[in-house]
Amino acid sequence: MLFPASMALVIAAQWGWPLAGASRPVRVFAPPAERWLSGHRGVDLPAVTGQEVLAAGEGVVTVARRVAGRGVVTVTHANGLRTTYLPVDALVTEGRRVRAGEVLGTVGGAEGHCPATCLHWGLVSGELYLDPLLLLGLGQVRLLPLPED
């Protein structure tokens, strides 16, 4: 899903930062050239262990559990987008409806992911990872090739 530039202000009004106060990412979105290759499918925001993690937009919590040893929360939004947050010690349960800015949990420890504690924030549309900063009218648009006939 690509967002036209004219929608940037509307998009930004519906979404918010997943941590109190805006911050510069310590690691930016760097998608792989192919789906199966390694890359960075989100942004890392500086955080402290125990800091509240906020829902970036209204939706339903569809994941609130440990995955591969890390706490993960995923919120599915009405427009089909999913925002992901990790590592998070969840304070919400799966199936719960949340509003933008509502506390999802707290930042957990993440040995090895970042040089210092961070929150990894992701955005997914279907199977396609997008830069979550697009929700705030920031970030870079990822252009995809046209499908072949």
Side-chain angles (χ1 to χ4, degrees):
M1 172 179 290
L2 300 177
F3 301 113
S6 62
M7 291 182 61
L9 293 177
V10 173
I11 291 168
Q14 297 174 355
W15 302 91
W17 284 95
L19 297 169
S23 61
R24 169 175 254 153
V26 293
R27 189 169 176 199
V28 297
F29 179 69
E34 300 290 344
R35 280 185 3 193
W36 59 87
L37 295 175
S38 64
H40 194 243
R41 294 167 172 86
V43 297
D44 292 337
L45 302 173
V48 295
T49 301
Q51 184 174 355
E52 290 182 334
V53 176
L54 312 174
E58 181 179 332
V60 175
V61 176
T62 50
V63 175
R65 62 180 176 268
R66 296 194 74 71
V67 176
R70 289 192 178 136
V72 176
V73 173
T74 299
V75 177
T76 300
H77 307 280
N79 54 11
L81 293 175
R82 296 185 314 274
T83 50
T84 60
Y85 313 81
L86 65 113
V88 175
D89 296 327
L91 297 174
V92 292
T93 56
E94 293 174 5
R96 179 171 169 185
R97 177 161 291 285
V98 294
R99 294 180 309 276
E102 189 169 335
V103 175
L104 300 173
T106 58
V107 175
E111 299 79 22
H113 180 74
C114 290
T117 304
C118 71
L119 174 72
H120 179 85
W121 181 35
L123 175 64
V124 184
S125 176
E127 298 299 316
L128 180 65
Y129 287 85
L130 300 169
D131 186 343
L133 296 178
L134 289 170
L135 297 173
L136 304 172
L138 307 169
Q140 295 185 9
V141 175
R142 178 179 178 187
L143 298 177
L144 302 173
L146 294 173
E148 295 181 25
D149 291 334

